[in-house]
Amino acid sequence: MGLIKGLAIGGTVTIVVVVIIVVPTVLLTRQEADFQETFMEKCLKFPEEKQVCESKWAAFEQAYVGKDECNITEENYKLLFDQTPFKHPCGKTMFWSKTPDLVHKYTEKRDCLFSLEDTLLGYVLNHLKWCGKLGSKEYIGRSTDKLKTANDPRIVAKTFTENCQECKLNPVDVFWKIASTKFALHACDGASVMLDGERPEPYDSNSFFGGVEVPNLQPPRVNNLTVVLVNPENGKNCTCESLGNLRKDLDQKIGCTCRAVAKSHVEKCIKESTPCGACW
């Protein structure tokens, strides 16, 4: 808003423009508020208690806010994962590669198999994107308030959900790599994996399953891996040796069993709520 005043100096009228800047109230950005709200809603729906969800949010946020978004390490998320160990029965661990929709529909209403996305952090952060910016700060008080110190608690770092850089050590990829590692380390007895038999190479050594989870399966804690190879009606040969590098990548102390199953049969099991063991 500007005020225009006229001053007469030596018979000449000089126009002076006085500009008054009105600073609006600075709140969390809409995208940031939506992200935090989504985190809390999904945590409470898991279900979990409110105070637990608030604690998870605080531990999660401190991992990346105000930090270099391309230099996030396992240490950043240590507090979060220390507070959130896996609790599902370790003998019911279900991995997947290139079959997210089918495996999640299958495990959604069952307590016999658990994918990473069926655990608290996996469920809450699935499909979300986030990052921080080095040194980013924002004042969340009212514009009429006065800052008392540079360490005023109303000065906070921000969460960004847009314009996050695609770099190797970004907070999203690092989170999922740590989560996948710990998920594999939690597995015991028999574990399962659902692979896509329609792909030329159902097993990919460079996928999260092949590159992160397989190397972290610990024998003798894990003694067998069951491969569920989902095919069209006429599927591929189903042996662990036929799945490219799987048998080579898998520790020889871990047994491997392959079961071919038609996709339509899995979908029927989902529809009819067939018990896990009866589907393959």
Side-chain angles (χ1 to χ4, degrees):
M1 179 173 64
L3 300 178
I4 301 178
K5 296 183 179 180
L7 300 178
I9 302 176
T12 302
V13 176
T14 301
I15 303 298
V16 178
V17 179
V18 180
V19 178
I20 301 174
I21 300 175
V22 179
V23 180
T25 301
V26 181
L27 300 172
L28 294 176
T29 63
R30 184 68 258 167
Q31 60 173 289
E32 186 179 9
D34 286 345
F35 182 86
Q36 182 175 352
E37 183 177 334
T38 298
F39 183 103
M40 292 298 294
E41 283 183 354
K42 292 180 76 173
C43 182
L44 292 170
K45 196 180 293 184
F46 183 71
E48 195 52 89
E49 296 178 3
K50 183 178 180 181
Q51 64 213 37
V52 172
C53 293
E54 290 172 345
S55 175
K56 304 300 182 197
W57 169 256
F60 168 71
E61 192 181 33
Q62 64 83 39
Y64 63 88
V65 291
K67 297 180 174 65
D68 182 351
E69 63 180 308
C70 289
N71 191 29
I72 302 299
T73 67
E74 182 174 351
E75 187 63 27
N76 290 72
Y77 285 110
K78 186 177 186 306
L79 177 61
L80 177 65
F81 282 98
D82 284 350
Q83 289 185 1
T84 322
F86 290 112
K87 297 180 180 179
H88 66 283
C90 61
K92 298 182 177 182
T93 298
M94 181 77 174
F95 302 103
W96 58 269
S97 185
K98 316 301 182 186
T99 58
D101 293 341
L102 190 63
V103 77
H104 292 148
K105 286 178 182 177
Y106 189 80
T107 62
E108 183 180 12
K109 296 181 179 180
R110 293 170 169 79
D111 60 2
C112 51
L113 291 173
F114 294 81
S115 72
L116 175 55
E117 293 75 19
D118 296 314
T119 65
L120 175 56
L121 292 180
Y123 172 75
V124 170
L125 294 169
N126 193 26
H127 301 309
L128 298 185
K129 185 176 182 179
W130 65 91
C131 67
K133 301 291 182 182
L134 184 62
S136 67
K137 298 288 183 179
E138 183 168 347
Y139 178 57
I140 61 171
R142 296 174 300 176
S143 59
T144 54
D145 293 341
K146 292 183 178 180
L147 290 176
K148 297 180 180 179
T149 68
N151 295 320
D152 192 298
R154 292 167 297 179
I155 301 177
V156 299
K158 293 177 60 178
T159 292
F160 295 86
T161 59
E162 298 176 355
N163 301 317
C164 294
Q165 294 189 51
E166 296 293 335
C167 45
K168 186 176 181 180
L169 296 179
N170 70 76
V172 176
D173 287 352
V174 171
F175 168 83
W176 286 112
K177 184 175 181 180
I178 299 169
S180 294
T181 298
K182 292 184 178 296
F183 188 64
L185 291 172
H186 178 76
C188 72
D189 299 331
S192 306
V193 60
M194 185 178 288
L195 301 181
D196 184 357
E198 294 190 64
R199 298 176 64 84
E201 296 293 337
Y203 172 72
D204 180 2
S205 294
N206 296 315
S207 65
F208 263 85
F209 173 63
V212 179
E213 292 165 336
V214 166
N216 283 291
L217 294 176
Q218 303 293 303
R221 180 177 169 84
V222 176
N223 53 44
N224 187 75
L225 177 69
T226 298
V227 178
V228 180
L229 190 64
V230 180
N231 293 296
E233 296 305 323
N234 297 315
K236 290 183 172 66
N237 179 32
C238 187
T239 64
C240 292
E241 287 71 17
S242 70
L243 297 175
N245 294 317
L246 176 58
R247 184 63 269 183
K248 183 183 73 174
D249 291 349
L250 198 63
D251 192 295
Q252 292 299 317
K253 295 178 182 178
I254 298 176
C256 184
T257 305
C258 185
R259 300 183 185 277
V261 57
K263 184 176 181 181
S264 59
H265 181 66
V266 178
E267 291 171 338
K268 182 180 178 181
C269 289
I270 294 170
K271 184 177 180 180
E272 297 178 355
S273 298
T274 303
C276 292
C279 197
W280 53 73

